[in-house]
Amino acid sequence: MSPDISNYSISLPYFDSLTQKFSEGDADALLAFGRHLHWGYWSDPTKADGSIADFAIAAENLSHLITDVAQIQHGLSILDVGCGFGGTIASLNERFSNMNLVGININNEQLLRAERTVHALPNNHIKFLKADACQLPFSDDSFDVVLAVESIFAFSSREHFFREARRILHLGGRLTICDFIPIQAFYRTWKLIEKATKTLVIRTYGSRPVNFCPLIEYKELAKATGFELVQTENITRNTLPTYPVVNSLMRGEGDEETYRATKGLERLSRRGLLQYMILSFQVSSP
Ligand SMILES: C[S@@+](CC[C@H](N)C(=O)[O-])C[C@H]1O[C@@H](n2cnc3c(N)ncnc32)[C@H](O)[C@@H]1O
């Protein structure tokens, strides 16, 4: 039975501030984040021109890369967990046919925008619904691919999410995620300073603190939940031109905490302590 979370809400100040900007008709915010709520991907980062239009193209390119890594083809059933405003579902809808596309999110405002702006093309089906990543309201073996694009760090438990993804995927299905992954040496230090940064992160990104997971733990998690890690793409360098654009957008009034948190992420990424990775896991056991 599906859990009832209709009255459940988590505080997401960063997203609330964005939806407020959209309703005020902020053209820059709409172009940068009206479709995707994730970083950009530049195959040649030296060619990034720092404009919001260039960033919007790069964000779409990241969606293309993720769907390539997930080996998405026509005719599949895809679940996008933490679907934001539905940008990845929109991109799949435009490029593939005979698709069953489902986006879930814990946040009502984002789902409303997704429902308003993303419409299934003929031969595709799209559904957006409110659900928690760790309690997926779907039957066993019902999807070919599960995606979590820059969302897994916000879930209450990676392990619960992996177990749920395994349950709803067909044998041979794929779970493909993007995450900011700490190198091992930094991870040990991070655990020590985590307490000190917790308040800022909670006030900015929501009621759950960012929760890093190094690659070695992802491998162990995969093994324990019936997956095998089959592809790892370190695209840190290709995402770095995101920061000047996002920082300039966030510097506006009321976004100071988001700006500071993102600056921290930038510093760690430029120093190679955090790596932006796409990881793809295949269901390995029944
Ligand atoms: C950085 S955004 C990424 C959005 C989208 N994947 C994209 O790439 O445009 C993180 C998303 O995860 C969602 N989220 C956070 N916790 C969640 C949970 N427990 N279950 C489902 N979605 C969640 C947020 O509401 C937000 O839409």
Side-chain angles (χ1 to χ4, degrees):
M1 205 176 76
S2 309
D4 178 11
I5 59 159
S6 49
N7 294 321
Y8 175 66
S9 176
I10 62 171
S11 164
L12 297 167
Y14 165 55
F15 303 107
D16 294 347
S17 131
L18 267 181
T19 42
Q20 173 70 24
K21 285 181 179 176
F22 295 165
S23 67
E24 289 162 2
D26 183 325
D28 286 349
L30 272 163
L31 180 58
F33 295 120
R35 178 169 162 112
H36 298 296
L37 271 168
H38 59 233
W39 280 184
Y41 172 85
W42 288 261
S43 53
D44 179 354
T46 63
K47 298 248 165 71
D49 71 10
S51 69
I52 295 172
D54 183 53
F55 169 67
I57 293 168
E60 179 65 23
N61 288 341
L62 182 64
S63 281
H64 288 222
L65 181 62
I66 291 155
T67 55
D68 288 351
V69 172
Q71 299 187 348
I72 289 176
Q73 313 153 17
H74 300 292
L76 297 186
S77 251
I78 316 280
L79 174 67
D80 184 21
V81 182
C83 66
F85 298 124
T88 300
I89 297 279
S91 177
L92 289 168
N93 180 42
E94 289 155 15
R95 292 182 291 129
F96 296 93
S97 58
N98 298 313
M99 306 295 276
N100 176 38
L101 303 170
V102 182
I104 65 159
N105 204 320
I106 200 82
N107 181 266
N108 286 330
E109 293 297 313
Q110 294 171 53
L111 284 169
L112 285 175
R113 178 173 169 77
E115 276 164 353
R116 253 196 341 263
T117 57
V118 184
H119 305 290
L121 289 172
N123 301 323
N124 287 339
H125 292 278
I126 295 183
K127 196 170 176 185
F128 290 106
L129 54 110
K130 187 171 181 183
D132 184 335
C134 297
Q135 288 178 284
L136 298 174
F138 308 105
S139 46
D140 298 359
D141 300 332
S142 46
F143 288 92
D144 300 298
V145 175
V146 172
L147 302 173
V149 182
E150 283 185 34
S151 50
I152 195 166
F153 45 75
F155 303 163
S156 57
S157 158
R158 279 186 179 81
E159 185 182 342
H160 289 169
F161 168 62
F162 265 62
R163 287 199 189 284
E164 281 291 82
R166 167 63 198 96
R167 182 182 64 73
I168 64 161
L169 276 168
H170 301 308
L171 196 58
R174 281 201 173 214
L175 164 64
T176 301
I177 65 159
C178 311
D179 198 1
F180 299 91
I181 299 191
I183 61 166
Q184 196 62 32
F186 167 64
Y187 184 61
R188 281 193 289 271
T189 315
W190 170 258
K191 294 307 282 177
L192 298 174
I193 60 168
E194 198 178 15
K195 269 196 183 144
T197 57
K198 209 167 169 176
T199 314
L200 171 63
V201 172
I202 290 171
R203 287 213 306 257
T204 304
Y205 289 112
S207 56
R208 295 190 182 109
V210 170
N211 169 15
F212 292 129
C213 180
L215 200 54
I216 190 165
E217 286 187 18
Y218 265 117
K219 286 183 186 159
E220 286 162 10
L221 182 58
K223 211 168 158 194
T225 53
F227 286 101
E228 185 190 348
L229 178 59
V230 289
Q231 195 170 343
T232 304
E233 300 289 332
N234 181 351
I235 56 165
T236 314
R237 206 181 127 261
N238 310 84
T239 62
L240 291 179
T242 299
Y243 291 100
V245 182
V246 169
N247 289 339
S248 71
L249 285 167
M250 286 174 175
R251 207 155 201 181
E253 208 181 318
D255 280 347
E256 195 50 35
E257 282 175 352
T258 311
Y259 173 75
R260 279 168 50 209
T262 309
K263 269 301 223 187
L265 206 55
E266 175 177 12
R267 272 193 289 274
L268 296 172
S269 302
R270 289 198 186 280
R271 286 177 196 159
L273 303 176
L274 273 187
Q275 300 180 320
Y276 191 109
M277 287 196 186
I278 303 176
L279 305 181
S280 203
F281 304 88
Q282 190 150 28
V283 173
S284 64
S285 60

